Amino acid sequence: AQEIGHDLGAALVTARALERERNLVRELQQLDDYRTQLIATLSHELRTPLTVISGNLEMLGELDLEETARRYHQAMTRGTHRMGKVVDDLLLLARVSDPQHPLVPVPVDVGAVTADVVALVESTARAKGLRLRVDLGPGGLVVPGDANEIDQVVGNLTSNAVKYTQAGGTVAVSAVRRDDTVVVEVADDGLGISEEDQVGLFRAFFRTTNPDALREPGTGLGLAIVATIVERHRGSVRVSSELGRGTTFTVTLPTGG
Ligand code: ADP
């Protein structure tokens, strides 16, 4: 009887521990939902007044302003533009994280998306003194997905590579077919990311501890957007990097058989 009592006691302790763990998981999930909801509400509420400010600034810019007013106007335009970028990134992150808006996949040509992205960053890369290489594998680079979202993935990774690579460096973007996947690789020989920083890299608002990288403006939302979009396409993204040597991001998207 004593042994049975002992077993029962142990089972009770285990059951209570399990219950506590389940509650904790539920609370964390609620907290995460709350955070997602908060971001969605805030970004929506900020977008409207921001559009009003931008529109009025634009009209103001067409007036014949005197020198000082012109400088104030330029500073406000820059600030508003930067705020708009943050709000748009927040809105996008909220949208792709929203389980109420699941992905509606259509065939997307990843090769064409990649070529578009590279064409867009070309002038920035050249102005910065970077070499930009692109390598698109032969046909069959189609995956089921959302073209705008895949554009965001390749675009964020490519503009980061350009942003965090010094003059004289090289940014290489490729998209190739590998078995039942399309693999997009964005490689640079720029600043690199330390091992500690790689741990938090895909979290929203994460920014590096590297002072050279912090000199560049940024929100720390780009890679969180990349990871969320890749996840809803049932793909994967990984990073390989060495501080001072460069970084390679590899995105793998399933072709769906
Ligand atoms: P942002 O660039 O707006 O700060 P991201 O989420 O795109 O936000 O990137 C998070 C951080 O990861 C950046 O602050 C930067 O330090 C680091 N990072 C991203 N891409 C690279 C890269 N190609 N080379 C070096 N550091 C990078």
Side-chain angles (χ1 to χ4, degrees):
Q2 207 176 3
E3 221 167 81
I4 293 176
H6 184 263
D7 283 354
L8 264 177
L12 252 174
V13 170
T14 313
R16 275 198 208 114
L18 271 176
E19 179 63 23
R20 262 202 306 276
E21 211 165 287
R22 231 174 278 137
N23 284 342
L24 207 65
V25 169
R26 201 176 311 131
E27 268 171 44
L28 281 177
Q29 185 60 50
Q30 278 167 356
L31 213 64
D32 198 48
D33 291 348
Y34 173 69
R35 188 191 60 134
T36 308
Q37 193 53 47
L38 186 71
I39 290 180
T41 309
L42 269 179
S43 46
H44 273 113
E45 290 303 319
L46 287 173
R47 184 66 263 181
T48 312
L50 206 50
T51 305
V52 175
I53 297 172
S54 301
N56 281 280
L57 273 175
E58 218 168 280
M59 288 190 286
L60 201 61
E62 277 159 23
L63 302 182
D64 190 18
L65 298 179
E66 57 124 331
E67 167 77 19
T68 317
R70 173 80 39 207
R71 258 190 291 121
Y72 290 159
H73 175 263
Q74 276 167 357
M76 284 192 287
T77 304
R78 271 198 304 275
T80 311
H81 187 75
R82 200 156 158 186
M83 211 196 294
K85 173 95 183 72
V86 180
V87 170
D88 287 345
D89 275 357
L90 280 173
L91 271 173
L92 179 62
L93 183 60
R95 202 175 65 233
V96 294
S97 308
D98 186 355
Q100 312 279 4
H101 286 102
L103 185 73
V104 183
V106 295
V108 178
D109 183 346
V110 180
V113 169
T114 305
D116 284 351
V117 164
V118 170
L120 259 180
V121 299
E122 208 152 20
S123 62
T124 316
R126 194 164 333 119
K128 214 181 152 180
L130 301 178
R131 266 184 306 273
L132 187 59
R133 287 211 315 256
V134 58
D135 176 19
L136 302 177
L141 299 178
V142 175
V143 300
D146 179 302
N148 284 328
E149 291 185 16
I150 294 177
D151 188 287
Q152 286 289 335
V153 170
V154 185
N156 280 345
L157 294 178
T158 308
S159 52
N160 272 350
V162 169
K163 193 157 96 175
Y164 298 114
T165 301
Q166 312 90 318
T170 303
V171 170
V173 187
S174 70
V176 294
R177 174 82 188 242
R178 202 167 293 157
D179 301 324
D180 287 342
T181 63
V182 170
V183 181
V184 180
E185 208 172 78
V186 181
D188 67 62
D189 54 5
L191 298 178
I193 305 163
S194 71
E195 259 177 60
E196 300 101 77
D197 279 350
Q198 287 176 35
V199 177
L201 207 56
F202 293 98
R203 272 205 307 265
F205 304 110
F206 175 86
R207 295 212 74 207
T208 183
T209 49
N210 182 350
D212 288 334
L214 285 176
R215 264 196 280 277
E216 296 290 336
T219 57
L221 288 169
L223 289 178
I225 291 170
V226 166
T228 310
I229 292 176
V230 168
E231 193 186 35
R232 67 200 232 118
H233 282 75
R234 301 184 190 288
S236 64
V237 53
R238 62 187 178 79
V239 61
S240 149
S241 185
E242 200 180 322
L243 198 60
R245 288 197 169 270
T247 306
T248 300
F249 283 93
T250 309
V251 173
T252 306
L253 297 168
T255 53

